[in-house]
Amino acid sequence: MLETLHNSPCEETASAPCGANDNTCACRHARRHLERGDILYQKGDTRSGMYQVESGALCQYMVWDEGQPEVVEYAFPGDIVGLGVLDTHVSSAQAMTRATVRQVSSAEFRD
């Protein structure tokens, strides 16, 4: 399972740490640390927003009905993954190296 990073105060509010090891952080700067091989999201997961890669590298891929994976894209620092309008993800994203991603709100993405 992925880990919510907020063991340090929020950069925006300078408040106390958000709930560690859960996905309930209300701070728009919620970050996740991923180890190599960790899944950020998979096909069928409820879409919870977009993520900006801050460090490391991710591979976004599709798994077809036959079980064969196909790489959609690689994401590196500065790239955004998880874009879409459907309620669930149609692809999966996995860490290729240790990585940190930051959740990005739709409003922040538009700015």
Side-chain angles (χ1 to χ4, degrees):
M1 192 67 179
L2 299 175
E3 175 183 349
T4 301
L5 170 65
H6 259 78
N7 293 325
S8 59
C10 169
E11 301 92 348
E12 184 175 317
T13 63
S15 64
C18 299
N21 298 322
D22 65 23
N23 292 322
T24 60
C25 179
C27 170
R28 72 182 182 105
H29 291 287
R31 286 181 173 77
R32 292 183 180 179
H33 286 303
L34 298 122
E35 294 296 324
R36 183 175 183 260
D38 284 352
I39 303 292
L40 178 60
Y41 55 81
Q42 340 185 56
K43 179 180 179 179
D45 284 353
T46 301
R47 187 176 303 280
S48 61
M50 298 172 282
Y51 302 89
Q52 182 175 34
V53 179
E54 292 191 328
S55 67
L58 302 178
C59 177
Q60 186 169 342
Y61 60 95
M62 301 282 294
V63 177
W64 301 108
D65 293 336
E66 307 83 40
Q68 187 67 23
E70 181 177 332
V71 173
V72 174
E73 68 177 344
Y74 295 102
F76 300 98
D79 291 343
I80 303 286
V81 297
L83 295 160
V85 296
L86 301 176
D87 293 335
T88 59
H89 289 284
V90 297
S91 63
S92 301
Q94 182 175 19
M96 297 178 358
T97 64
R98 281 186 166 183
T100 300
V101 298
R102 176 178 69 91
Q103 195 157 13
V104 178
S105 70
S106 296
E108 182 180 9
F109 182 72
R110 284 189 297 268
D111 292 343

